[in-house]
Amino acid sequence: EGVQVVMASLANSTDALSLLFFLMTLTVVLFGSAMYFAEQTAATWDDQNRTWVRKSEYGGPVEQHKIISIPYGFWWCLVTVTTVGYGDMVPVTFAGYLVGVAAMLAGILIVAFPIIIIGAKFTEVRD
């Protein structure tokens, strides 16, 4: 019976789940792209290795820059917005920090609203 309640509440929450998917996609595209451009000030192109390399003034050894393309920015944003936070990619510029804070706050709000609706539908189905 418990599984049926969960399935029924999810079936009644398709609008909220669609909204969650849409807002998550929009957020990942927006903040992932913004992070890529914000972090490019900390990188320089290495012709020999054909990759972006972090400038030495941003601390640590000169190494391959972590956010080397917009899809990498999408990965960073998805991990950040869902509050997983692997730590495999972190911003090193002030602009990157600002984008990161905005992405974290947006992630909390984006996930919270549909979850409230799904919870209300669950209670409605259960009663």
Side-chain angles (χ1 to χ4, degrees), residues 35-36 38-43 53-61 63-67 76 88-100:
M35 181 57 77
Y36 169 74
E39 288 295 296
Q40 284 310 299
T41 59
V53 179
R54 184 175 294 159
K55 294 178 182 175
S56 60
E57 62 260 24
Y58 286 95
E63 61 181 358
Q64 182 178 357
H65 193 59
K66 302 298 182 191
I67 304 174
W76 168 86
D88 57 343
M89 297 181 196
V90 294
V92 294
T93 63
F94 183 72
Y97 294 153
L98 292 177
V99 171

Side-chain angles (χ1 to χ4, degrees), residues 33-120:
S33 300
M35 181 57 77
Y36 169 74
F37 289 111
E39 288 295 296
Q40 284 310 299
T41 59
T44 185
W45 181 253
D46 182 9
D47 281 329
Q48 184 178 4
N49 295 323
R50 298 193 45 79
T51 187
W52 289 99
V53 179
R54 184 175 294 159
K55 294 178 182 175
S56 60
E57 62 260 24
Y58 286 95
V62 175
E63 61 181 358
Q64 182 178 357
H65 193 59
K66 302 298 182 191
I67 304 174
I68 58 174
S69 67
I70 291 178
Y72 278 81
F74 291 172
W75 170 252
W76 168 86
C77 187
L78 187 63
V79 168
T80 300
V81 167
T82 57
T83 67
V84 173
Y86 288 129
D88 57 343
M89 297 181 196
V90 294
V92 294
T93 63
F94 183 72
Y97 294 153
L98 292 177
V99 171
V101 167
M104 286 183 262
L105 294 175
I108 292 169
L109 294 173
I110 287 169
V111 172
F113 290 135
I115 295 300
I116 292 169
I117 296 168
I118 294 167

